Amino acid sequence: MKIELANPDITNKEIQAVVDVMKSGWLSIGPKIEEFEQKFKDYLGVRNAIGVNSGTSGLHCLVKSMDIKSGDEVITTPFSFVASTNCFMFEGAVPVYVDIDPKTFNINIDAIEDKITEKTKAILPVDVFGQPQDMKRIKKIADKYNLKVIEDSCEALGAEYDGIKAGTVCDGAVFAFYPNKQITTGEGGMIVTDNDEIADLCRSYRSQGRAITGFWLHHERMGYNYRLNELNAAIGSVQMDRLDSILIQRDKVAKMYNEKLSEIEEVITPYIDPNVTKMSWFVYVIQIEKGLNRNDIMKYLKENGVACRPYFTPIHIQPYMKEKFGFEGEDFPVTFDIGNRSIALPFYNKLTEEEIDYVVGILKKAISSEK
Ligand SMILES: *Cc1c(COP(=O)(O)O)cnc(C)c1O
């Protein structure tokens, strides 16, 4: 058997939607992006949704629109995909990392306040692996010090903490649609915000700094081409209609894994905070017990057709970050430890019970050969 790490769930509806756009001849800035944005507004109950060509460009637009610039500090987590830090480093702002909660892997909220200085401009939490967090508490800390909050919800579309949807309690949030995410557009992202001023700036930055209502060749500021084209937006619009059923399928797959992995003592399955009222499974990441050799286990899995990946290799130990800031792994010991023991297993909507049994069987053999 050969099992991929991720697989997008594309139906004939998405294919037909793309064909329709091609036949319409209207390939950019047309009705499909508006339709996709409207579905986001309705789903999350937010005032503004702005489609962009990646999650990273969405985060960058928010950073620009909040005037985060050279010398500013942004408090964030090192246990994430690099984009959540790169988005403000593009502007010369500096990451101030807070270590993570050892159970949820999200930023340790208790430790945020200690890291605030006069240079702090924003807090940027990440909803890691689709697990939402107590954004009300983070927003309260931010308000006390007059800081902005950018929520990187790229992995958490549809997730809810205490009944509150990820991406809705902050100054701006971003969702992403790379093919391994819950819904995909091929490449793409969506900025959401209730702040109209931030929204207008994001719309301007995504389209070469144009004024929202101005002429095509009038540029109010230096902007980018971060637009989402109509083909991608059309895929996203269909995927949005299917979101609820996709999340239910992913939840089923995760629960199957939880149950079948419970028999392997050396494996720790994902912990979900009891305040999470809805989990939006992005990836399925296990921890292996201390002392086992993760690389050997991963090698065995791969040799037997089971794709896997060390999710995440922490940002602070990426070569370019070590070089720039001189970080050591142990600077953020929880992140470093979790990063060294995690393995993302194959995870997608249509993973069958048979395939899960195969993955679990191979993992069991890999671990017993380690002892
Ligand atoms: C996917 C993702 C992004 C955005 O990635 P793109 O490839 O630019 O769409 C940002 N942050 C996190 C945590 C992500 O997982």
Side-chain angles (χ1 to χ4, degrees):
M1 243 195 246
K2 204 164 165 47
I3 307 176
E4 309 289 339
L5 195 61
N7 253 328
D9 184 351
I10 299 293
T11 68
N12 280 329
K13 279 191 184 153
E14 283 87 344
I15 294 167
Q16 191 54 50
V18 172
V19 171
D20 291 344
V21 170
M22 302 247 259
K23 286 183 176 162
S24 80
W26 202 342
L27 305 187
S28 187
I29 322 182
K32 283 297 164 185
I33 185 160
E34 266 177 46
E35 183 183 296
F36 187 31
E37 289 174 346
Q38 186 60 48
K39 284 179 185 174
F40 251 85
K41 284 194 270 186
D42 294 343
Y43 184 77
L44 294 175
V46 289
R47 287 180 58 84
N48 302 281
I50 302 126
V52 284
N53 59 7
S54 76
T56 308
S57 50
L59 289 166
H60 188 209
C61 283
L62 281 177
V63 164
K64 290 289 292 183
S65 66
M66 293 176 192
D67 198 29
I68 295 168
K69 53 185 183 299
S70 186
D72 290 340
E73 292 177 355
V74 177
I75 295 176
T76 188
T77 167
F79 193 66
S80 175
F81 179 61
V82 290
S84 60
T85 284
N86 289 350
C87 65
F88 57 83
M89 277 178 61
F90 293 155
E91 298 304 317
V94 176
V96 173
Y97 288 128
V98 167
D99 210 347
I100 54 171
D101 177 290
K103 282 155 96 183
T104 64
F105 311 152
N106 283 332
I107 195 167
N108 176 3
I109 301 175
D110 293 329
I112 289 178
E113 224 167 327
D114 278 348
K115 297 283 181 91
I116 296 173
T117 72
E118 298 103 80
K119 290 185 177 170
T120 309
K121 197 75 175 268
I123 306 173
L124 197 159
V126 180
D127 302 314
V128 170
F129 304 153
Q131 169 143 226
Q133 54 199 313
D134 193 350
M135 290 304 297
K136 275 192 173 166
R137 226 181 117 206
I138 294 175
K139 189 74 173 69
K140 212 167 153 188
I141 297 169
D143 287 345
K144 186 172 160 191
Y145 295 92
N146 200 19
L147 307 175
K148 291 279 193 276
V149 178
I150 298 176
E151 185 176 358
D152 181 341
S153 297
C154 288
E155 304 186 350
L157 179 57
E160 291 175 19
Y161 185 98
D162 263 342
I164 295 168
K165 283 205 166 77
T168 60
V169 178
C170 57
D171 296 288
V174 177
F175 298 91
F177 316 121
Y178 184 73
N180 70 342
K181 309 274 169 170
Q182 289 87 332
I183 68 165
T184 187
T185 59
E187 296 279 3
M190 187 70 75
I191 304 163
V192 297
T193 177
D194 281 329
N195 181 319
D196 295 343
E197 213 173 305
I198 289 174
D200 283 350
L201 283 168
C202 286
R203 284 192 191 98
S204 177
Y205 281 120
R206 92 170 155 185
S207 191
Q208 309 282 17
R210 291 181 173 100
I212 307 311
T213 51
F215 297 108
W216 187 246
L217 291 177
H218 175 75
H219 304 271
E220 299 225 304
R221 55 187 62 80
M222 188 175 77
Y224 305 88
N225 182 355
Y226 284 167
R227 292 186 301 265
L228 183 69
N229 71 55
E230 288 290 285
L231 301 163
N232 299 100
I235 302 171
S237 182
V238 176
Q239 290 258 296
M240 256 332 251
D241 294 339
R242 300 180 48 227
L243 177 61
D244 286 337
S245 72
I246 286 173
L247 293 183
I248 289 169
Q249 273 178 295
R250 291 174 89 87
D251 198 56
K252 274 190 195 148
V253 173
K255 289 199 167 121
M256 256 194 274
Y257 261 131
N258 285 343
E259 195 199 309
K260 292 175 191 289
L261 286 168
S262 65
E263 60 188 79
I264 311 180
E265 217 177 282
E266 297 85 352
V267 166
I268 302 150
T269 54
Y271 169 86
I272 308 300
D273 185 319
N275 290 309
V276 170
T277 41
K278 189 172 172 189
M279 178 67 183
S280 173
W281 291 93
F282 165 52
V283 281
Y284 190 88
V285 178
I286 57 161
Q287 302 287 303
I288 52 165
E289 214 173 55
K290 277 186 188 141
L292 291 171
N293 186 323
R294 187 203 26 199
N295 290 348
D296 286 351
I297 292 170
M298 287 185 47
K299 191 163 165 256
Y300 189 89
L301 287 171
K302 284 177 190 163
E303 279 167 3
N304 287 279
V306 176
C308 55
R309 204 165 276 173
Y311 250 89
F312 294 111
T313 302
I315 302 175
H316 74 287
I317 59 167
Q318 298 290 346
Y320 74 104
M321 292 297 286
K322 284 174 97 168
E323 193 178 311
K324 189 170 168 74
F325 296 104
F327 289 129
E328 303 275 351
E330 289 290 345
D331 290 349
F332 307 99
V334 182
T335 296
F336 191 53
D337 174 52
I338 299 298
N340 280 329
R341 292 191 291 123
S342 19
I343 303 176
L345 297 178
F347 187 71
Y348 45 89
N349 312 351
K350 289 186 172 154
L351 204 61
T352 64
E353 181 160 10
E354 225 185 327
E355 288 167 322
I356 293 173
D357 283 334
Y358 180 75
V359 172
V360 173
I362 295 294
L363 184 63
K364 213 186 266 178
K365 278 188 205 158
I367 288 173
S368 57
S369 72
E370 263 298 292
K371 297 208 130 177

